[in-house]
Amino acid sequence: MVSVRLPDGSVKEFNRSVTPLDVASDIGPGLAKAAIAAEVDGQQVGLDYALPDDGEVALKLFTKKNSEALSIMRHSAAHVMARAVMRIKKGVQLAFGPVKGEQFYYDFEVDEPITEDDFPAIEKEMKAIIKKNEPFERIERPRDEALQICKDMRQKLKVEHIESGLADHESLSFYQQGEFLDLCRGPHVPSAGAIGAVKLLFVAGAYWKNDASNKQLQRLYATAFFDKADLANYVERMAEAQKRDHRVLGRKHGFFHIDEMVGQGLILWAPKGAYVRQKLQEFIHLHLQRQGYDQVFTPHIGKLDLYKTSGHFPYYQDSQYPPLINHDQLKKLADEGCTCSDLSNSMKSGEIDGYLLKPMNCPHHIKIFDAQQRSYRDLPIRLAEFGTVYRWEQSGEIGGLTRVRGFTQDDAHLFVTEDQVADELAGCLELVKIVFAAVGMDDYSVRVGLRDPDSSKYVGDPANWDKAELACREAAKTLGKPFIEEPGEAAFYGPKIDFVVNDCIGRKWQLGTVQVDYNLPERFDLSYIGADNKHHRPIMIHRAPFGSMERFIGVLIEHFAGAFPLWLAPEQIRLMTVSEKSEDYGREVEQRLKAAGFKVHGDFRPEKLGSKIRDAQMELIPYMAVVGPRDAESGTLSLRDRVDGDLGALTIDETIAKLQKEVEEKVVKQKFANTGVIAEEGETQNEY
RNA sequence: GCUGUUGUAGCUCAGUGGUAGAGCACUUCCUUGGUAAGGAAGAGGUCAUGGGUUCAAGUCCCAUCAACAGCUCCA
């Protein structure tokens, strides 16, 4: 006898072998019809799963209302998609087909590439399969037999996967749907009819087992919903999300420009974007002063030797612009008969001395620290600079402000004693929190990047790494926010605490970062004189609360959907006249607002007021100051809030006081409805 | 870097191998008005770049550059 415990606490007992479907039927025919899948003792199963004959199990039945059912259905839709593709394309080799966030995909190896032109045919075939409503049948086989089945089907990727990835599985399962049989862990919906509306999205390349050294497969992305209306809603949400894309808004509002002739990933800051950046820099500068930082400036280039010592050149050469060589050196090489390939080789091996566009600011700051003898009494030394760095990012990665080839870090390096590490880390984290709070971004996540024990890309003594990692972990705990630890995410010189946010289409970006480094001080042989009159090695903390100004502002544009709060808005007040009759008074008011420190622009065009207001609304100006004959008479202006509308007449002084207070308090007026784009979650890998 | 898609006016986009188009923005003129679009006229183009096919190419083919999406990478 088996006791089945349901989520409401009730227990049903059965004297026979039952499946989740049987239990559902026992509860009611409506539920049996609505059930999609189930969960038994925390494990997702199909409705035909055989429950144990005795003992007690916890059973949850999923219907369309459960989000679990939605992912299970999408996974089934992936099978239907693969089945449709196999009917249309010859020689299709199946790889994996998991669910990822709101989407699902299937990776194929095909003789003839799938293109978007194939979408209508594939979708049509999928709809036909769904309409036919054939069941998904689970078939379990011992490993040997399963292997043979895949060999017989000539599915070489599945064969490879069974032989390597699934070597320790004794029994494997398949799901069959008509002529389509796929190795799969499941579970699936009972039959294809449960799949509602499907839509193919795009085709992309993806490497077999996510390894770039493996062959590239074709990945077909799609989404599915139980309901047509939900699909329409999804399409709408994606379109909405695109409207707040910083690249779209950046062009529309003139925040920045990227010019082909200047170069890929090189940002030209237009006045409006530059203003926002300036305001942010002023803001953090104030906090740097409070926390005892010293400002420094360093050049954009440095000799190769510097980066050989730091390790940047040997470890990240591929992501750097090649070294700059001087004319004499180049001529000498030419006279010696150096060929292009010789030149390339000697540059790579670092034999030719040149200058590197700096990929990071730390070596320069280290040299400032090292320029004089330091006492323990001087520590901590905190050197800050908005330092611009250049990295040769792969062309396919570059885009907008979030991934660029030249960017400015709000960088600083702290040189501290062992005893000071914890306090200084706390100060750095505090700064990051201040930054996020100032702009009302609270949906960030924290990631502690640790070294990957299997990799050779890290420098230094493992004992130092252990100390640094412990310090990061302890510091992260003080944030009072859950954080994840990710091996392999550390810098080559030390572990770090990263602050990660999502962009408007759900991609994750690292903004602020705080890193603990025992290694660069060693590589540069840094020291300070301790109280014992002996040399001691300082520890470095690298930190950038914004991360990169480019990326931060890119994300910030999306966060505010282009509508900056008053303290950051590049145009704070649009002054407009009701008609040209009030122009003189308008200019007087404009001057007074400007004198009070506001960014004001006067709109004196011979347009109707409604039209001027509309323009200002569209340009997302926080406040409009309307002046007409009545205002000229009473010495007032009519203030209009972009969000709240007409606020009525105020004197100029009242206006200035009100807006200054709003700037002071850094008020964020509008909360934007989340676009509802679901950030990418880890994919559910049902294909074992 | 890889796979796929896309490059037409400042922006968003139409355009069937046969004379280059629209809306918005811009300029000028008319309108002088009180809280989200007043009216008219005008200007604006080497159809990304370079080759090729063709009597004829924005349109078809190839290459390059760039953008977008996804991989891979990201100190």
Side-chain angles (χ1 to χ4, degrees), chain A residues 76-88 121-136 176-181 189-196 198:
Chain A
S76 302
H79 276 231
V80 169
M81 181 168 78
R83 187 177 175 191
V85 168
M86 287 184 97
R87 284 182 181 178
I88 286 163
I122 298 170
E123 277 185 359
K124 194 176 157 200
E125 203 60 47
M126 287 175 76
K127 281 174 190 160
I129 293 168
I130 292 166
K131 196 170 173 199
K132 205 165 171 203
N133 197 17
E134 286 169 308
F136 281 88
Q176 176 141 32
Q177 230 237 332
E179 83 281 6
F180 182 76
L181 181 67
V189 296
S191 64
I195 301 165
V198 292

Side-chain angles (χ1 to χ4, degrees), chain A residues 279-288 291 386 410 427-442 444 499 501 511-513 543-549 552-553 556 559-560 565 567-568 666 668:
Chain A
K279 281 288 158 191
L280 289 171
Q281 291 188 184
E282 278 171 19
F283 159 70
I284 198 156
H285 199 80
L286 183 77
H287 288 279
L288 293 187
Q291 284 202 3
F386 287 94
D410 60 324
C428 294
L429 295 179
E430 185 57 30
L431 211 47
V432 179
K433 283 202 276 191
I434 288 170
V435 163
F436 280 111
V439 293
M441 275 205 235
D442 43 19
Y444 58 87
F499 294 77
V501 300
L511 295 181
T513 181
R543 45 98 290 180
F546 290 122
S548 120
M549 298 312 291
F552 188 87
I553 291 172
L556 198 60
H559 171 66
F560 290 128
W567 76 280
L568 283 173
K666 298 193 170 53
V668 176

